[in-house]
Amino acid sequence: MGHNPPLPLQTDKLQPPTANPPHEGHPHLTAKAVRVVRVGTQTRPKAGWWRQALLTATTVAALTAAAHPQIPAPTPPTLPAPTAATLQSTYEANRENATHAADMAATHGDLHRAAADRTLATRNLLTFDGRGAGQAVEVLGDPTRADHIAVLVPGSDTTLDTYARFHRTAAALYQEAHRTNPRTAVIAWLGYKAPATISTTVTTTTRADEATPELRAFIAQLHRLTPTSTPTHISLLCHSYGSVVCARSAPALPVDDMVLLGSPGTAADTVAGLHTPARVWAARGSRDWVAHVPHVRAGLLLATVGFGTDPVSRAFGARVFDAADADHSGYFTPGSVSLANLARITLGETSEVTRA
């Protein structure tokens, strides 16, 4: 992939940025790298680079806004928090809303969104909102009877329009774990407005901070759905920018395991900085381009960009496991080393996880 590593923000010239074919998660722009200098133990961008970054960010923001017109959809139904007794009625209400959203999208002329909404209208949805980029929380399995539940948090460019690929990752994990323990559930949580790959927000914690109360509320709700007889083991599997969401939410999340996949960083220097009692895991495949993203944090005029320490580094302190040759979108590939280890973590079989 050349000698210049991909960056979350173009800092070369004021020209419209270009991207490689879409990936699940963090940006992969064809841009020159920000030059950095090392001061003591801290790696910092070369002085003056922020001026170029700020100007380019403004251009990117304008391009992104123009590329995503609003898609009409009904307001989501107001529903009480689901219980074991009301779970099916919650699914039905959200399916009905997704069907209505599909009809509105088709009338608007967006047949791709209409098809995506109609597909979701056949699924078990805890929530659905077809407005704009859209949000959905899909359930595979029965959380009211599950011994183990994995919650997947996606990265950038995950919307209702790209939801099919997110569903495939959840389905692959569900099938892998279900073979060992049928009392397993997997939840695909698109409960936040993920940043676009080409945008200013993908390089900051802004969208992650906005998602924090939503993810915390969802995990609390999930605990109320699970069996009361024995504690349910809950894992949080966080991909790319989703790892920033999980990290920012970590201090108040009652989960057993937190997994950082293809992470650009978490904005925390170490695992201790996450302030979580959960076991923290990290993995990065040998073909994942995110390895080339500089692990820096730098202050601009209005924001801090970058996410700091590499989660698979010894300095961060996570339990690093083997993801073999996975690329950025390949951690849930059926038959892969990575998926096998993710299933083991989901099932609490931590001694069976192969380390990197």
Side-chain angles (χ1 to χ4, degrees):
M1 57 184 294
H3 297 291
N4 290 328
L7 283 180
L9 194 62
Q10 185 176 7
T11 59
D12 187 15
K13 296 180 180 179
L14 263 181
Q15 297 175 345
T18 58
N20 289 342
H23 293 267
E24 294 177 69
H26 214 61
H28 184 189
L29 300 185
T30 55
K32 290 185 178 180
V34 170
R35 295 180 64 190
V36 299
V37 294
R38 186 170 297 276
V39 180
T41 60
Q42 299 296 316
T43 303
R44 298 176 182 173
K46 186 177 180 180
W49 77 273
W50 61 268
R51 293 183 180 88
Q52 290 179 308
L54 188 60
L55 289 171
T56 303
T58 303
T59 302
V60 170
L63 291 170
T64 303
H68 294 282
Q70 292 295 307
I71 299 170
T75 301
T78 301
L79 302 171
T83 65
T86 64
L87 189 57
Q88 293 304 317
S89 62
T90 297
Y91 291 159
E92 289 298 329
N94 285 307
R95 287 180 191 136
E96 182 178 350
N97 186 265
T99 299
H100 189 190
D103 293 340
M104 292 180 70
T107 300
H108 184 66
D110 195 324
L111 301 183
H112 178 77
R113 172 60 69 84
D117 289 344
R118 286 197 180 96
T119 298
L120 278 162
T122 67
R123 307 265 176 76
N124 292 337
L125 303 175
L126 281 175
T127 64
F128 176 84
D129 186 347
R131 297 172 298 179
Q135 296 183 13
V137 178
E138 180 186 358
V139 179
L140 292 82
D142 184 359
T144 68
R145 302 182 61 191
D147 295 327
H148 305 276
I149 298 176
V151 179
L152 276 57
V153 180
S156 62
D157 271 345
T158 308
T159 66
L160 293 188
D161 294 310
T162 63
Y163 186 84
R165 70 188 185 194
F166 186 37
H167 168 80
R168 287 194 294 271
T169 65
L173 178 63
Y174 178 70
Q175 292 167 8
E176 181 76 15
H178 193 263
R179 281 198 290 267
T180 300
N181 187 339
R183 291 173 65 94
T184 301
V186 173
I187 296 174
W189 187 82
L190 178 55
Y192 81 111
K193 186 178 181 181
T197 292
I198 304 175
S199 70
T200 55
T201 51
V202 80
T203 62
T204 76
T205 64
T206 300
R207 290 289 174 84
D209 292 335
E210 292 170 354
T212 290
E214 305 301 328
L215 182 56
R216 288 174 174 172
F218 174 73
I219 295 297
Q221 179 187 97
L222 185 59
H223 275 282
R224 292 191 289 270
L225 267 179
T226 58
T228 56
S229 54
T230 56
T232 300
H233 174 262
I234 296 179
S235 301
L236 202 57
L237 277 55
C238 321
H239 180 240
S240 200
Y241 189 87
S243 66
V244 185
V245 175
C246 294
R248 303 296 279 187
S249 307
L253 284 181
V255 297
D256 299 284
D257 289 278
M258 181 180 297
V259 184
L260 311 174
L261 294 166
S263 174
T266 64
D269 293 330
T270 64
V271 165
L274 297 178
H275 303 290
T276 175
R279 288 179 292 252
V280 178
W281 305 79
R284 184 169 62 227
S286 63
R287 295 191 295 136
D288 189 340
W289 52 261
V290 85
H292 299 280
V293 173
H295 291 282
V296 299
R297 297 198 77 204
L300 297 183
L301 292 179
L302 301 176
T304 299
V305 300
F307 304 109
T309 309
D310 186 348
V312 299
S313 68
R314 185 182 297 273
F316 189 72
R319 303 177 182 214
V320 181
F321 64 93
D322 189 9
D325 61 350
D327 61 23
H328 195 61
S329 301
Y331 292 98
F332 295 85
T333 301
S336 67
V337 171
S338 175
L339 182 62
N341 278 327
L342 290 171
R344 291 167 184 143
I345 294 171
T346 295
L347 297 174
E349 299 174 349
T350 56
S351 64
E352 301 299 315
V353 177
T354 58
R355 299 298 185 93

